[in-house]
Amino acid sequence: MNTSVEVYKFAVFGGALTVMGGCMVMEMGAPRRDENGAIIEDEFSPMPIVLQYLRRTWKELTFYEKMIKEPSREKLLPDPLPAPYQPTYTLVLEFTDILVHPDWSYQTGWRFKKRPGVDQFLQQVANSDYEVVIFTSENAFMIWPVIDKLDPENKFIAYRLFRDSTHFIDGVHVKNLDGLNRDLSKVIVVDWNKQATKFHPQNALILKKWKGADDDTALLDLANLLQTIAMSNVLDVREVLTYYSQFDDPIAAFRENQRKLMEQMEEKEKENKTNNPPIASSWIRSFTRR
């Protein structure tokens, strides 16, 4: 009895799939028509009618697959502005878990929590010779209004790129920096997902994923790192990023390097004071010497 029921279920399921497949072929494989209803000839018109429908259906399915897996356009950003209006460096930022974190509660439902220091960070880097680009694997319809709230007057974020600008490979939305239309020696991409930047790992600064902690200071340290790069007029940012890519936490490594540098500067200053006393002190001693 149970066997009969199972066979019946499979038969119904198979029949439903057959009907759905047939409807899809009839819809997607039908020849196109002009405004008067006349059939428009295409490369499949000379074929037998069944083969025509199958080949058109396959072409449509391949087209939709390409739409999902490849960026919607080759050139993701417009041409750079003429000098001196174009910033020297381009900063590409993942939005989710770098600048904000999706948070849910019974009281508010879903909302995006701003990372500590995000406002100061955006202002600081935008005023430090960086063209700021949001390049996220999220959908535009969900993230666009959040970016509007973060930068309502479009003062700091120059461009916005979303999921439709990525390559979909092995379940990951990969960001191809070749499409940015910028000199890659001046492009820095900040992300938490190493796979999302695998086309250009030498341009990537991979941070730890921010999960909403209120005591986080990573963005402030990141701003200092980026400012240091800009003030140093680094010719190829990939050299700096390759160095920091060896650390699990590049921001902590930069913070430690800064601490060591300050200690060295303090030691140097002490040595200079010891070897070269202040002018005023030397002048007084020269007039009070017996």
Side-chain angles (χ1 to χ4, degrees):
M1 186 70 174
N2 290 335
T3 303
S4 300
V5 172
E6 292 297 326
V7 171
Y8 176 76
K9 287 182 178 179
F10 276 113
V12 172
F13 182 70
L17 286 180
T18 301
V19 172
M20 290 175 60
C23 291
M24 181 179 69
V25 171
M26 292 300 295
E27 178 66 26
M28 300 180 70
R32 300 293 177 263
R33 297 177 181 271
D34 61 20
E35 57 186 11
N36 297 320
I39 292 177
I40 301 174
E41 297 288 325
D42 58 21
E43 68 268 34
F44 306 118
S45 297
M47 299 178 181
I49 188 68
V50 174
L51 189 57
Q52 283 185 39
Y53 273 73
L54 291 175
R55 292 294 297 273
R56 289 194 190 99
T57 300
W58 180 253
K59 182 179 179 180
E60 289 293 311
L61 291 174
T62 303
F63 172 75
Y64 286 119
E65 181 186 29
K66 185 177 180 180
M67 284 183 60
I68 294 172
K69 290 187 174 182
E70 297 184 10
S72 56
R73 57 197 185 279
E74 291 186 5
K75 185 190 290 188
L76 301 178
L77 297 181
D79 292 338
L81 298 172
Y85 304 105
Q86 177 66 30
T88 303
Y89 303 96
T90 298
L91 178 63
V92 181
L93 299 168
E94 170 57 52
F95 193 65
T96 305
D97 294 326
I98 290 292
L99 301 182
V100 300
H101 176 70
D103 187 49
W104 186 89
S105 68
Y106 285 107
Q107 291 76 21
T108 63
W110 281 106
R111 66 184 181 90
F112 284 87
K113 182 179 181 179
K114 291 167 58 175
R115 193 169 191 169
V118 64
D119 296 322
Q120 181 181 344
F121 168 78
L122 289 174
Q123 181 177 1
Q124 194 168 334
V125 295
N127 293 329
S128 301
D129 207 15
Y130 282 94
E131 172 189 47
V132 180
V133 179
I134 297 295
F135 195 173
T136 178
S137 58
E138 304 285 359
N139 285 312
F141 73 89
M142 182 174 69
I143 298 299
W144 192 283
V146 185
I147 299 177
D148 280 342
K149 290 184 179 180
L150 193 63
D151 185 23
E153 298 180 12
N154 294 319
K155 287 183 177 181
F156 310 126
I157 299 172
Y159 300 104
R160 310 172 182 190
L161 300 174
F162 301 93
R163 179 175 295 179
D164 66 308
S165 298
T166 65
H167 293 262
F168 190 63
I169 302 174
D170 297 329
V172 177
H173 292 278
V174 182
K175 302 163 187 178
N176 188 354
L177 304 184
D178 288 331
L180 292 181
N181 194 28
R182 296 293 185 268
D183 179 2
L184 291 184
S185 69
K186 301 293 190 294
V187 174
I188 300 172
V189 55
V190 179
D191 208 308
W192 58 265
N193 187 356
K194 186 178 295 186
Q195 292 302 311
T197 61
K198 64 182 180 181
F199 288 167
H200 300 88
Q202 66 274 25
N203 286 89
L205 190 66
I206 304 299
L207 305 187
K208 289 186 175 182
K209 190 175 183 179
W210 180 58
K211 298 181 179 180
D214 294 326
D215 59 348
D216 181 87
T217 62
L219 286 183
L220 301 180
D221 293 319
L222 176 60
N224 291 334
L225 171 58
L226 296 171
Q227 272 194 321
T228 302
I229 291 174
M231 292 173 64
S232 302
N233 295 316
V234 174
L235 295 179
D236 193 334
V237 299
R238 290 171 291 194
E239 296 178 3
V240 178
L241 299 177
T242 298
Y243 166 77
Y244 280 105
S245 67
Q246 65 183 304
F247 302 102
D248 292 333
D249 189 344
I251 296 302
F254 171 73
R255 192 185 300 122
E256 178 63 16
N257 287 343
Q258 290 296 97
R259 185 189 65 79
K260 291 179 180 179
L261 178 62
M262 291 299 296
E263 287 182 354
Q264 292 174 3
M265 292 176 64
E266 290 174 0
E267 288 295 326
K268 189 70 173 177
E269 186 176 354
K270 288 179 182 179
E271 290 178 7
N272 289 338
K273 285 182 178 180
T274 302
N275 298 329
N276 301 296
I279 295 176
S281 301
S282 301
W283 181 83
I284 292 172
R285 284 198 297 273
S286 67
F287 278 86
T288 57
R289 186 178 299 133
R290 293 288 185 266

